[in-house]
Amino acid sequence: MAAGTSSNVHLHDIPDVILSNIFSLETETRTRNAMSLVCLKWLLLERSTRKSLTLRGNIRNLFLLPTCFRAVTHLDLSFLSPWGYPLLDSFSNPLVLAQFLRHAFPSVVSLIVYVRNPLTLHLLASQWPNLQHVKLVRWHQLWPAAPVGSDLVPLFDHCPMLSSLDVSHFYCWTEDLPPVIQAYPSIATSLSHLNILKHDSSTDGFKSHQLLSITACCPNLRKLLATCIFNPRFIGFISDQTLLTLALNCPLLSLLHLADSTSMSNVRPNLIEDASISFAALGDVFSKLPLLEELVLDVCHNVKHTWPALELLNTKCPTLKSLRLGQFQGICRGIASPPDGVALCQALESLSIKNCTDLTDKALIAISHGCHRLSKFEVLGCNQLTRKGMWEFTHNLRKTLVDVKISYCKNLNAVSSLQALEPIRDRIVKLHIDCVWASIIGEEKSLKNWSKLKYLSLWIAVGELLNPLSLSGLNDCPSLEEIQIKIQGDCRDQPKPFMAAFGLSSLTCYPNLTRMILDCSGVTGYALTAPVGHTDLSLWERFFLSGIQDSTLNELNYWTAQDVDVNQRCLFLPAAGLLAQCGSLRKLFIHGTANEHLMMFLLGNPTLRDVQLREDYYPAPDNDTITEMRVGSCCRFEDALNSSSRHVPD
């Protein structure tokens, strides 16, 4: 048929094979659900091509378990409620439940699950013997009499094809993993991805001999992420010899991520002590890992004069695309010519520099000339950098740079950071800055359009206000969809908030903002009665959340503040009342505890469809007397939330 003539060809005339491929290319869940509503054919096609599924809801409601997603290969069970409780203990015969899950999802090869006790893995792993990727989640304390490695043994017993293991969010001892790895040499040999990077600052890192015993059993690892001990004062610290042996044990690594255990905490870095790592040994390590594509070394102790070793990355690791260095000193001397150090890594697309005390504007500009492909750049704790140097850096990379993070840099407050990003203002997509307003008054404001900015991350000290954000130059962000705000500080050092509200109402100037992460986990205060002259956390919570009722948010992740003395992170009455008034909110995830009667306040919000409590911090509360949210109360709340009497507009 000639071009431009009319046609009676209908969408249904597209061959099923092509239509199936089109459906497979769409990964966004809500879009796929919308596609499935078009007609019965599309419904069946969407269900038959779905490869990834995250189950929510209460595990007791088996009649709601979908059985039409038989092609799903990646299954996430870690969000089932009651969250944090043993998955299969709700039934008198847990084996039947495990078999029912296998029958509903027979094709699963990738599994994420909350493992409160070894029985969960013992029953589930036997149902899917072809599992290749497993991620375990647990924030509760270990069982008192649990033998070393008992949580992992069922997985290795039943899954001989295991090639990827992620325990980064699984609370266990560092002593648990090495003996299990050694006891199953065939599985250890087939492992290509091992993530033992703990995201909890209270967890100790792996000692040198533990890390080497693991890597010696896993010679085919492609990706290794681990929390280590780099402090030379500690027994089992990571030394030159450790890194060299690790490189010899795993020569096929494409991703190596080693971070000190203190890098996960909010403690300021130790800029005095040196690590027991030399630039000469680093050069040898790089020479033995020619396939590296991503390298992270967050040492938290000084590694000095590193520019000669970093120059080798360009020749010895030609495929390196991403580099993150923590407390490496002398990474680039910044001499006029020729370029040196990290500036020679011309293939880099992502670079993160943390706590480099001698990084100057000249060195930063040299890096921008040498690493001309950078699309992502992070700089943290580099106090010699100025607005002028950052402006020149972004100007040189204005054609590629779209993701920037500037944090803890003394000379770069909110206004100066935004002014330094002026050359890429119309291109940047993702941004993090610190909300330091000390010198905002009197500085020239740049009230301009950030047309492509979709994600904004902010750090702000407790007691400070968010309102000056729009005055600093970020008032016009028409594409902004998600914002993350991390509040940090000790409320016990302050008598009370000096203003009625933190300033969330100022975010109404962003018309497309629908998702927010409000992280108050770094805020410490008094959960119970505060001393005379001080304010308890309930009033601080009112201060933080006031104005959220005016927002257009669809999804909120809220980390509650904490009282470290009593290990309590909970939702208070002001927060429950304010969240109930957020009329557009559909999804609410509270990372902390709450009383049942306060959770019932949330039912007053007519749009809420998905609410969950996640105690994802260590140690997660277990049998404490403060919260009423137990299995029964959780079920009562969910029944009320999903009641037919609540009309939730879609």
Side-chain angles (χ1 to χ4, degrees):
M1 184 178 294
T5 61
S6 61
S7 172
N8 294 324
V9 176
H10 193 273
L11 191 61
H12 287 316
D13 296 330
I14 299 176
D16 289 347
V17 175
I18 297 178
L19 197 59
S20 177
N21 289 335
I22 294 174
F23 271 71
S24 299
L25 293 175
E26 179 56 58
T27 58
E28 207 278 320
T29 302
R30 294 205 69 190
T31 302
R32 291 186 66 99
N33 289 338
M35 294 165 66
S36 69
L37 298 175
V38 172
C39 62
L40 180 60
K41 178 180 179 180
W42 281 33
L43 171 66
L44 298 175
L45 193 59
E46 193 281 324
R47 299 301 189 252
S48 65
T49 57
R50 182 80 69 96
K51 296 299 181 182
S52 178
L53 187 68
T54 299
L55 285 185
R56 303 188 189 277
N58 200 300
I59 189 64
R60 68 191 170 112
N61 299 325
L62 275 183
F63 67 94
L64 295 176
L65 185 69
T67 57
C68 53
F69 297 100
R70 301 184 63 82
V72 164
T73 57
H74 173 79
L75 181 63
D76 189 347
L77 302 176
S78 64
F79 295 117
L80 288 173
S81 61
W83 192 90
Y85 285 86
L87 178 64
L88 306 177
D89 284 10
S90 303
F91 296 83
S92 57
N93 191 341
L95 178 59
V96 173
L97 174 57
Q99 292 173 340
F100 194 47
L101 287 169
R102 188 272 314 275
H103 175 74
F105 309 104
S107 306
V108 170
V109 295
S110 175
L111 178 68
I112 304 177
V113 61
Y114 196 102
V115 180
R116 185 72 182 271
N117 57 35
L119 178 63
T120 302
L121 266 186
H122 177 75
L123 295 176
L124 287 181
S126 61
Q127 304 304 316
W128 292 297
N130 294 328
L131 282 177
Q132 299 174 13
H133 170 77
V134 174
K135 179 178 180 179
L136 306 180
V137 182
R138 178 172 67 197
W139 294 96
H140 288 82
Q141 300 184 51
L142 302 173
W143 292 94
V148 173
S150 59
D151 290 299
L152 300 171
V153 168
L155 179 63
F156 282 70
D157 269 340
H158 297 292
C159 303
M161 300 179 64
L162 190 67
S163 62
S164 174
L165 177 62
D166 186 342
V167 292
S168 58
H169 291 90
F170 182 69
Y171 182 80
C172 62
W173 304 117
T174 56
E175 293 84 359
D176 287 334
L177 189 59
V180 179
I181 293 283
Q182 293 171 343
Y184 295 85
S186 60
I187 296 180
T189 302
S190 64
L191 280 178
S192 61
H193 182 183
L194 181 60
N195 188 344
I196 51 177
L197 183 72
K198 298 299 181 180
H199 291 275
D200 179 33
S201 59
S202 64
T203 306
D204 293 331
F206 285 85
K207 294 181 173 62
S208 176
H209 68 275
Q210 294 171 333
L211 190 61
L212 293 182
S213 66
I214 292 172
T215 56
C217 298
C218 307
N220 295 314
L221 280 179
R222 263 71 171 179
K223 298 181 180 181
L224 173 63
L225 302 90
T227 305
C228 311
I229 299 175
F230 283 98
N231 192 334
R233 296 187 298 169
F234 284 29
I235 297 175
F237 67 89
I238 303 298
S239 64
D240 286 347
Q241 189 57 46
T242 307
L243 294 178
L244 288 168
T245 307
L246 186 152
L248 290 172
N249 289 343
C250 305
L252 302 179
L253 284 175
S254 62
L255 186 158
L256 177 60
H257 186 137
L258 300 179
D260 189 83
S261 56
T262 60
S263 67
M264 306 298 172
S265 67
N266 293 324
V267 179
R268 290 289 182 170
N270 186 338
L271 298 175
I272 300 176
E273 295 191 25
D274 296 341
S276 185
I277 298 175
S278 65
F279 69 86
L282 283 175
D284 293 337
V285 170
F286 300 154
S287 300
K288 292 176 174 57
L289 297 174
L291 302 179
L292 270 184
E293 297 177 10
E294 183 174 348
L295 174 63
V296 178
L297 293 174
D298 197 350
V299 179
C300 292
H301 292 77
N302 292 322
V303 183
K304 296 182 176 180
H305 312 299
T306 57
W307 62 269
L310 296 177
E311 288 182 351
L312 292 176
L313 282 173
N314 187 48
T315 55
K316 302 300 182 181
C317 306
T319 59
L320 187 70
K321 304 294 183 185
S322 177
L323 178 63
R324 179 179 173 187
L325 303 173
Q327 219 151 316
F328 274 50
Q329 314 300 338
I331 63 173
C332 180
R333 293 179 295 176
I335 301 174
S337 63
D340 64 289
V342 72
L344 288 178
C345 300
Q346 301 179 11
L348 280 182
E349 298 174 1
S350 174
L351 176 61
S352 176
I353 305 171
K354 178 181 177 182
N355 298 326
C356 181
T357 59
D358 58 3
L359 183 66
T360 63
D361 287 345
K362 289 184 178 180
L364 191 65
I365 295 170
I367 292 173
S368 68
H369 287 296
C371 306
H372 56 274
R373 298 182 182 178
L374 284 181
S375 61
K376 178 179 180 179
F377 179 69
E378 298 180 350
V379 58
L380 302 89
C382 299
N383 291 331
Q384 292 197 42
L385 298 182
T386 68
R387 177 177 59 185
K388 181 179 179 181
M390 276 300 302
W391 188 94
E392 188 70 26
F393 176 86
T394 57
H395 176 75
N396 293 337
L397 294 170
R398 61 189 180 279
K399 294 183 179 180
T400 59
L401 198 59
V402 294
D403 186 347
V404 177
K405 178 176 182 178
I406 304 174
S407 185
Y408 295 121
C409 295
K410 182 176 64 176
N411 299 319
L412 293 169
N413 58 35
V415 173
S416 58
S417 295
L418 294 175
Q419 291 174 345
L421 298 175
E422 178 65 22
I424 58 171
R425 177 178 47 79
D426 59 342
R427 290 184 48 86
I428 190 166
V429 175
K430 189 173 182 180
L431 171 64
H432 172 95
I433 59 171
D434 290 349
C435 296
V436 179
W437 317 121
S439 58
I440 188 172
I441 299 177
E443 290 203 31
E444 181 184 355
K445 314 302 187 301
S446 179
L447 303 178
K448 297 181 180 179
N449 179 275
W450 300 71
S451 58
K452 295 185 179 180
L453 186 65
K454 293 185 176 181
Y455 177 89
L456 178 62
S457 173
L458 306 170
W459 176 94
I460 188 167
V462 67
E464 294 290 333
L465 299 177
L466 188 63
N467 304 81
L469 179 65
S470 58
L471 300 177
S472 66
L474 274 174
N475 64 316
D476 189 4
C477 305
S479 301
L480 187 64
E481 299 173 354
E482 181 174 354
I483 188 169
Q484 176 175 351
I485 304 173
K486 181 169 181 63
I487 309 172
Q488 186 177 338
D490 196 336
C491 296
R492 296 171 298 184
D493 298 335
Q494 304 187 34
K496 63 178 181 180
F498 66 93
M499 294 288 285
F502 171 59
L504 290 183
S505 58
S506 65
L507 300 180
T508 55
C509 66
Y510 306 125
N512 291 314
L513 183 62
T514 57
R515 297 186 301 276
M516 177 190 288
I517 298 174
L518 183 59
D519 186 355
C520 299
S521 61
V523 176
T524 304
Y526 298 103
L528 307 177
T529 304
V532 177
H534 293 268
T535 305
D536 60 34
L537 284 177
S538 65
L539 294 181
W540 278 102
E541 196 168 52
R542 181 194 299 275
F543 169 72
F544 294 140
L545 286 172
S546 290
I548 198 169
Q549 65 272 21
D550 301 325
S551 70
T552 57
L553 294 176
N554 292 335
E555 181 177 331
L556 173 64
N557 274 266
Y558 175 52
W559 272 261
T560 59
Q562 62 174 326
D563 187 333
V564 293
D565 294 333
V566 295
N567 187 37
Q568 184 177 351
R569 302 187 186 192
C570 65
L571 193 76
F572 293 97
L573 176 60
L578 290 167
L579 291 173
Q581 298 177 50
C582 189
S584 60
L585 202 60
R586 293 176 59 90
K587 296 182 179 181
L588 173 61
F589 306 109
I590 301 170
H591 302 261
T593 60
N595 291 323
E596 180 181 357
H597 70 280
L598 295 182
M599 293 295 291
M600 291 299 181
F601 274 56
L602 301 176
L603 299 177
N605 188 330
T607 59
L608 266 185
R609 189 167 185 167
D610 189 359
V611 182
Q612 192 172 63
L613 282 178
R614 299 178 190 166
E615 300 154 355
D616 47 359
Y617 56 92
Y618 178 82
D622 185 17
N623 297 325
D624 62 284
T625 58
I626 296 173
T627 174
E628 298 174 7
M629 290 305 291
R630 295 288 178 263
V631 174
S633 55
C634 181
C635 293
R636 287 191 294 271
F637 172 75
E638 290 178 341
D639 289 342
L641 182 68
N642 299 317
S643 171
S644 58
S645 62
R646 288 188 77 243
H647 175 69
V648 180
D650 201 317

